[in-house]
Amino acid sequence: MSVDYSLNNPDTLTKYKTSASISHKVLEAVSGWCVDGANVLSICQKGDKLLDEEVAKVYKGKKISKGISHPTTVSPSSYITPYTPLSTDAEEAATVLKANEPVKIQLGAQIDGLGTIVCDTILIKADKDDDGEVSGREADLMLATYYANELLLRLMIPPGLMASGTEEEKKKAAAEKRPTATKITQMLETVAKSYECSIVEGTTSWLFERNEIEGKKKIVLLPTDKESRTEGVPEVGDVWGVEMGVSLGSGKTKTIDQRPTLHRRTTITYQLKRPSSRQTLSEIVKKFGNFPFSLRQLDDERAAKVGVVECVRSNVLRQYDICTDKDNAPVARLLTTIALTKNGIIRLGAPPQLDVSKYKTDKKISDEVILKILEQPTARSTGAKGKNKKKKKKPAKKAVDDEEESSSEEE
């Protein structure tokens, strides 16, 4: 009997939520380890160890696959792609975090092939006990990324899904045209430019499926080639990994000359010639399936570095090249795993809510259309009990105005 892995099956959502709770717990721990002078490799290793420990606690005795859907990666200031160094590359293994730089933490867990991935950006504090306000360009970057991400999430909701009023009003709302990929990009660029920032070119959100984090649909912001165009539209029943990347520079990217350490199995089959390649691939298939992995997660890191060469050349494995901002400008990234339901968006794996009151700047979003969208809810209330109600968020327009007021008071 075949299993229904759609969101119509309550077990599917339960598995997504279970993997998400693990992702959140580990993200919180990893964020706490990210302090001035901390070693990136050590953080990544500890993060993966904790992911494995937490995954082992759930669905015990069940004959289902479970594990890491994305290894722990910690990307320094200008790095755009997830970064996880190897212990056998001495120079990179010595990489440490620096005060005041924005660091991107990405990781995830999967239960029965249903994976959630989350990415958050945090600012490394010079003093770990400093919980004060952030100003200057760091504040601009964090606010631009937060609001651009919130806007993109709302633009993914199918027209009319959140409409209220009479049946005729709901039908009219549902008949509205979806914004095109170009229009979505333009609106997000407007948000970024409000804070004198730029959207990172090639930022891609993917449809998630069972055992697949790069499905048949995708939304690509500022595509760099014809192959990376937006395909398909978000629909009720979908699970997506929604990504937002913002730079204090131009948003242009460059591939740097560092060994790619993050790989993922493709659907291509090929008769590998070298025994070392076959052995490496066998271990990858057994441990990670089709989910991304780091070479440092394999039993013999040095052998893995040799074994993946033929796998990549024959396209059995895809390697993730390491990209940074072209101008080496600081970059922030967020990734949220969402489920689209008839009641709107469920944020399965999401970065913590940004406390915008701590970020002080004289810049603000002035576009009325965008401000109106930002004030819209992402989900309809389903009558949950009062004790489960979350603290009401500050409306976007009011938050932006408050930032302006607090900045003028300081002048």
Side-chain angles (χ1 to χ4, degrees):
M1 184 179 171
S2 61
V3 178
D4 178 10
Y5 285 102
S6 75
L7 292 181
N8 293 327
N9 182 353
D11 287 347
T12 297
L13 196 55
T14 299
K15 288 170 183 174
Y16 270 124
K17 287 181 175 179
T18 302
S19 66
S21 67
I22 293 170
S23 301
H24 288 151
K25 182 173 184 176
V26 179
L27 175 65
E28 183 179 8
V30 172
S31 298
W33 300 332
C34 289
V35 295
D36 186 20
N39 180 270
V40 171
L41 172 60
S42 175
I43 295 169
C44 293
Q45 290 171 328
K46 286 164 63 180
D48 285 354
K49 184 173 182 288
L50 186 55
L51 278 169
D52 282 331
E53 289 171 355
E54 292 301 319
V55 167
K57 295 176 183 177
V58 300
Y59 286 87
K60 288 182 177 180
K62 305 285 185 181
K63 290 186 177 179
I64 58 173
S65 65
K66 56 181 182 175
I68 295 175
S69 63
H70 194 287
T72 307
T73 59
V74 177
S75 307
S77 182
S78 63
Y79 282 63
I80 294 167
T81 47
Y83 176 66
T84 175
L86 304 180
S87 60
T88 52
D89 291 339
E91 187 177 339
E92 289 189 51
T95 304
V96 296
L97 300 177
K98 299 171 184 174
N100 302 316
E101 71 174 342
V103 168
K104 284 73 66 181
I105 305 164
Q106 185 161 318
L107 53 85
Q110 62 91 4
I111 305 294
D112 200 8
L114 303 170
T116 57
I117 301 175
V118 61
C119 176
D120 189 24
T121 296
I122 63 171
L123 292 172
I124 302 300
K125 296 165 184 171
D127 178 357
K128 66 179 181 180
D129 296 321
D130 177 20
D131 196 30
E133 295 175 350
V134 176
S135 59
R137 295 298 281 148
E138 289 88 358
D140 293 338
L141 178 63
M142 297 296 281
L143 289 168
T145 308
Y146 169 73
Y147 285 122
N149 187 61
E150 289 297 315
L151 178 61
L152 178 56
L153 288 169
R154 284 160 175 79
L155 293 175
M156 293 187 70
I157 299 172
L161 188 66
M162 301 294 294
S164 57
T166 65
E167 284 304 313
E168 194 170 321
E169 287 171 331
K170 290 179 182 177
K171 284 180 182 177
K172 186 179 177 183
E176 288 179 8
K177 280 189 176 180
R178 289 175 179 264
T180 62
T182 301
K183 181 63 176 175
I184 289 173
T185 300
Q186 286 173 348
M187 295 176 81
L188 294 170
E189 283 187 298
T190 297
V191 172
K193 286 172 182 174
S194 298
Y195 295 93
E196 295 179 12
C197 296
S198 304
I199 299 294
V200 173
E201 65 180 8
T203 296
T204 306
S205 299
W206 287 95
L207 175 71
F208 281 8
E209 298 170 324
R210 184 171 180 252
N211 293 317
E212 180 57 81
I213 61 162
E214 294 181 5
K216 299 180 183 69
K217 302 182 198 177
K218 59 182 176 179
I219 296 171
V220 187
L221 308 179
L222 301 169
T224 54
D225 56 63
K226 289 182 180 178
E227 284 73 37
S228 61
R229 301 281 180 183
T230 291
E231 297 175 21
V233 294
E235 297 170 297
V236 171
D238 285 355
V239 174
W240 282 74
V242 183
E243 183 177 35
M244 179 50 58
V246 176
S247 167
L248 281 180
S250 65
K252 301 290 183 184
T253 65
K254 65 179 178 183
T255 302
I256 60 173
D257 187 23
Q258 280 183 218
R259 181 196 302 275
T261 63
L262 204 63
H263 295 73
R264 192 171 79 92
R265 186 180 161 213
T266 68
T267 55
I268 294 171
T269 54
Y270 179 82
Q271 188 59 46
L272 298 168
K273 296 177 175 61
R274 297 173 64 95
S276 61
S277 305
R278 293 197 294 271
Q279 185 177 343
T280 299
L281 182 62
S282 176
E283 184 185 354
I284 290 165
V285 171
K286 185 178 178 181
K287 282 187 173 179
F288 312 111
N290 291 343
F291 288 102
F293 63 92
S294 167
L295 295 182
R296 62 176 171 72
Q297 293 173 282
L298 297 171
D299 290 342
D300 187 333
E301 195 178 284
R302 291 185 189 279
K305 285 157 75 171
V306 176
V308 296
V309 174
E310 185 187 2
C311 297
V312 171
R313 193 167 56 231
S314 58
N315 294 318
V316 173
L317 292 181
R318 173 190 168 188
Q319 69 177 23
Y320 290 84
D321 293 327
I322 300 174
C323 295
T324 65
D325 183 89
K326 193 173 184 179
D327 311 313
N328 294 322
V331 171
R333 256 190 348 107
L334 300 173
L335 197 154
T336 311
T337 302
I338 66 166
L340 268 168
T341 73
K342 63 181 182 180
N343 291 314
I345 284 175
I346 298 175
R347 302 191 194 209
L348 296 169
Q353 177 81 14
L354 189 74
D355 183 353
V356 295
S357 66
K358 288 186 177 181
Y359 295 84
K360 306 300 180 181
T361 180
D362 59 352
K363 303 173 184 68
K364 68 171 186 173
I365 302 167
S366 57
D367 187 295
E368 290 296 329
V369 173
I370 289 173
L371 288 170
K372 189 174 179 182
I373 295 172
L374 284 171
E375 289 181 348
Q376 295 171 3
T378 54
R380 186 183 291 112
S381 173
T382 54
K385 291 179 181 178
K387 65 177 181 180
N388 292 329
K389 284 184 181 177
K390 293 183 179 178
K391 188 178 177 183
K392 191 174 180 181
K393 293 179 189 175
K394 185 185 288 186
K397 187 173 181 180
K398 187 176 188 311
V400 174
D401 288 343
D402 286 353
E403 287 156 24
E404 185 185 36
E405 285 170 16
S406 61
S407 298
S408 58
E409 285 169 11
E410 291 163 7
E411 289 171 1

